[in-house]
Amino acid sequence: MNATSQKNPAAKPREPAKSKKDHLITRDVALVMLATFFFMTSNMVVTPVIAGYGESLGANGALMGVIAGAMSFVSLFCRPIAGNLSDLVSKRLLVAAGTVLYIIAGILYCLAHSTGTLVAARMINGLGFACGTVCLATWVSLLLPIRHMGAGMGLYGIVNALAIAVGPALGIRLQAAGGYRWTFIMSLMLNVCAFATVLLVKNGGRAARKVADSTVTQSQVLGGADGPARMLRHRLRLRNLVEPRAIPLAAVFMMFAIPYFANQSFLMDYISSRHLPVSSDLFFVFYAITLLLLRLTLRDLFDAKGFRFWLTSCSIAMLTMLGFLTFMTNGWYLLAAGIAMAASYGLMSSVTQSQAVVIAGRERSGLANSTYYMGIDLGMTLGPVLAGVFYGHLPIAWFYPMFMLTMPLAWLIYLCFHHIIHPTRI
C-alpha cells in the first residue's frame, strides 16, 4: 500500500493547480479594473468643466445645472433596465455598449455649438453611464475567487478613488491649458481605451439569469397564454425593482450626495467668480488621497460602530467642508475642505451601502445595492440643478451655505425612519 502511494502520487499536484486558479489578480480581473479606470476617469474629466462649457455656449445658471445633471437624471431611470439586461446578456456586451454610447457623447461634446446639442450629449452619456456602472462591479465580482472577494472589491474601490482624483484634476488642467475641446478629446481617447480593454477580456461574464424566478412557478411561466404576461408583471413589481427597506437609507445618503455633486460640477466656476488664487483640481486630489487613507485605517470601525455614530460624524464633516469652501481665501482651505469631504461623503457612501445590504438581507443584497445607487443618481441630478439655480440667482457668498440645509434634512429622514434604518436601536 505504501509502495503504491509512493509510485502514484496523483493527489499531490492538485494544490498548486488550485492556488493558481485562486490568484487575486488574474489577467481578466486586471483588464476589467483597467477598463473601469478608463471608463470612470473619462466621465470625471468632463464633470467639473461641463457647467462652464454650457455657460460659454450661452446657458444661464439654471440651464448650467440642467446640463450638469442631465446625465444622472437619465441614468436614474435607465439603471433598473440596465440591471435587468445585465442578467440577460454578457457583461462584456453591456459594458461595450455603454462605452460606445460614451464615445458618441464625446463626439457630440467636441462638435457642440448649442446648449441643445450639449443636453443631448449628456443624455446619451447618461445611458452609457447606466450600462457601464451596473456591469463593471458585477463583472469584477464574478471574476474574483470567493476567498479573495473582500480584498478584490477593496482594490476595485481604490481604482474608483484614483479615477475620482485623476479625472477632475486632468479635466481642469486641460481646460485651463487648451480649452474645452481638448478636454473632451482626452475624454474621448479614454473611452476608446476602455472599449479596447473590454474586448481583451477572455471571460465575458455570461448571462446567469435562471429560467424562472424562485417565486414564480413553472406553470405560471409556461402554462396558458397569459403565462409570459404574468411573468412580466411579476418582474415589474416594485419589490423586483427596488428594496423598499433601503429607500430611507438611500434618501439619507442623497442628502450627502447633493452637496458633493453640486461642488463637483460648480467648484471651478465658484473659484473663478470669486477670483480666488487657488487651483480647483487640488480639491479632488486631496479628497482621493484622504479617502484612501481613511478607508485603510478605519476599516475595522465600519463594523464596530453603529449607523448613528457615522451619521453624526459625517454630518459634522460635511458642514465643516461647506464652511471651509464658504470662507476660502487660499489653498489651505481647499486642502481642509478635501479632507472634510472624504470624512463625510466618502465614508458615508461605504456605511450606507453596507447598512442597506444588512437591512435587506443577503438574498436581496443586489436590489439593496441598486436602491442605494438610485440615491446617488438623485443626488447627482439634484445637486447640479440646485447649484445652477443658486449660482444664477443668489449672491455667490450664499452658494455653499445653502447646501448646509441638506444635513438637517438627512437627520429628519433618519429620525422618521430609524426603526427601519437601524431596527435594533435609535
Side-chain angles (χ1 to χ4, degrees):
M1 207 166 171
N2 286 341
T4 310
S5 61
Q6 280 177 353
K7 282 181 185 177
N8 187 25
K12 287 185 180 177
R14 269 182 171 177
E15 228 176 279
K18 189 180 178 184
S19 62
K20 200 173 182 182
K21 216 175 184 180
D22 233 20
H23 284 163
L24 171 58
I25 300 298
T26 62
R27 176 184 178 276
D28 280 357
V29 169
L31 286 171
V32 174
M33 287 192 177
L34 184 61
T36 301
F37 178 77
F38 288 140
F39 189 86
M40 296 303 294
T41 304
S42 69
N43 192 59
M44 297 304 296
V45 163
V46 173
T47 299
V49 303
I50 196 67
Y53 185 49
E55 188 176 33
S56 73
L57 294 178
N60 59 20
L63 186 53
M64 288 166 67
V66 169
I67 290 168
M71 183 201 83
S72 46
F73 182 75
V74 171
S75 175
L76 172 66
F77 292 99
C78 292
R79 196 183 289 278
I81 299 169
N84 276 308
L85 279 175
S86 70
D87 290 334
L88 294 169
V89 300
S90 76
K91 307 298 179 287
R92 185 195 351 250
L93 180 61
L94 202 54
V95 174
T99 310
V100 168
L101 288 167
Y102 258 34
I103 291 170
I104 293 169
I107 293 169
L108 287 176
Y109 287 144
C110 294
L111 300 177
H113 291 287
S114 68
T115 54
T117 306
L118 200 54
V119 170
R122 293 296 284 166
M123 293 176 77
I124 295 170
N125 204 157
L127 284 170
F129 185 72
C131 291
T133 52
V134 161
C135 274
L136 282 165
T138 308
W139 198 0
V140 168
S141 67
L142 289 174
L143 295 172
L144 288 167
I146 294 296
R147 66 189 294 264
H148 291 309
M149 188 63 69
M153 294 311 290
L155 281 174
Y156 183 79
I158 290 173
V159 168
N160 276 287
L162 286 172
I164 288 170
V166 172
L170 183 60
I172 291 166
R173 291 282 176 176
L174 278 172
Q175 192 279 328
Y180 291 109
R181 298 256 190 270
W182 281 108
T183 307
F184 299 136
I185 288 170
M186 173 55 71
S187 175
L188 194 55
M189 289 169 61
L190 288 166
N191 290 328
V192 172
C193 290
F195 183 77
T197 307
V198 164
L199 296 181
L200 292 174
V201 182
K202 289 179 180 176
N203 185 340
R206 286 178 298 174
R209 175 169 288 183
K210 294 177 182 177
V211 175
D213 194 279
S214 60
T215 59
V216 182
T217 64
Q218 195 172 0
S219 61
Q220 282 179 303
V221 179
L222 300 175
D226 65 337
R230 278 191 228 173
M231 184 69 170
L232 181 62
R233 284 196 301 272
H234 172 79
R235 292 201 182 281
L236 292 179
R237 281 167 54 193
L238 179 64
R239 282 182 59 81
N240 291 333
L241 296 174
V242 296
E243 171 48 61
R245 288 168 293 182
I247 290 174
L249 263 176
V252 169
F253 185 59
M254 181 183 72
M255 293 303 160
F256 285 82
I258 285 172
Y260 174 80
F261 288 106
N263 177 65
Q264 191 180 81
S265 298
F266 276 81
L267 178 62
M268 193 171 75
D269 302 287
Y270 173 81
I271 288 172
S272 176
S273 65
R274 286 193 57 198
H275 309 289
L276 297 171
V278 294
S279 181
S280 56
D281 62 323
L282 293 175
F283 172 88
F284 301 100
V285 176
F286 297 148
Y287 166 78
I289 292 171
T290 306
L291 182 58
L292 284 173
L293 292 173
L294 287 175
R295 282 185 174 172
L296 289 171
T297 55
L298 300 180
R299 59 186 176 185
D300 293 334
L301 276 180
F302 288 134
D303 294 320
K305 297 292 183 180
F307 183 81
R308 186 166 184 170
F309 168 85
W310 291 110
L311 180 59
T312 303
S313 305
C314 294
S315 298
I316 294 169
M318 179 61 78
L319 292 171
T320 302
M321 185 279 298
L322 294 168
F324 276 122
L325 291 178
T326 299
F327 299 106
M328 177 168 52
T329 55
N330 56 52
W332 290 107
Y333 284 84
L334 205 62
L335 168 63
I339 293 170
M341 182 64 96
S344 55
Y345 176 87
L347 292 183
M348 198 63 187
S349 62
S350 298
V351 172
T352 309
Q353 189 170 21
S354 61
Q355 186 73 3
V357 172
V358 168
I359 289 171
R362 189 181 293 273
E363 69 282 356
R364 289 178 65 84
S365 60
L367 281 174
N369 275 308
S370 177
T371 307
Y372 158 81
Y373 278 114
M374 285 180 181
I376 296 179
D377 286 335
L378 279 168
M380 287 176 72
T381 303
L382 292 173
V385 169
L386 289 172
V389 172
F390 298 157
Y391 183 80
H393 294 87
L394 292 176
I396 198 66
W398 282 95
F399 184 80
Y400 285 110
M402 289 300 293
F403 287 105
M404 291 182 179
L405 295 172
T406 57
M407 292 301 98
L409 287 173
W411 273 91
L412 181 62
I413 296 167
Y414 171 74
L415 291 173
C416 289
F417 296 98
H418 69 267
H419 57 287
I420 298 173
I421 292 173
H422 204 15
T424 54
R425 62 186 178 190
I426 184 170

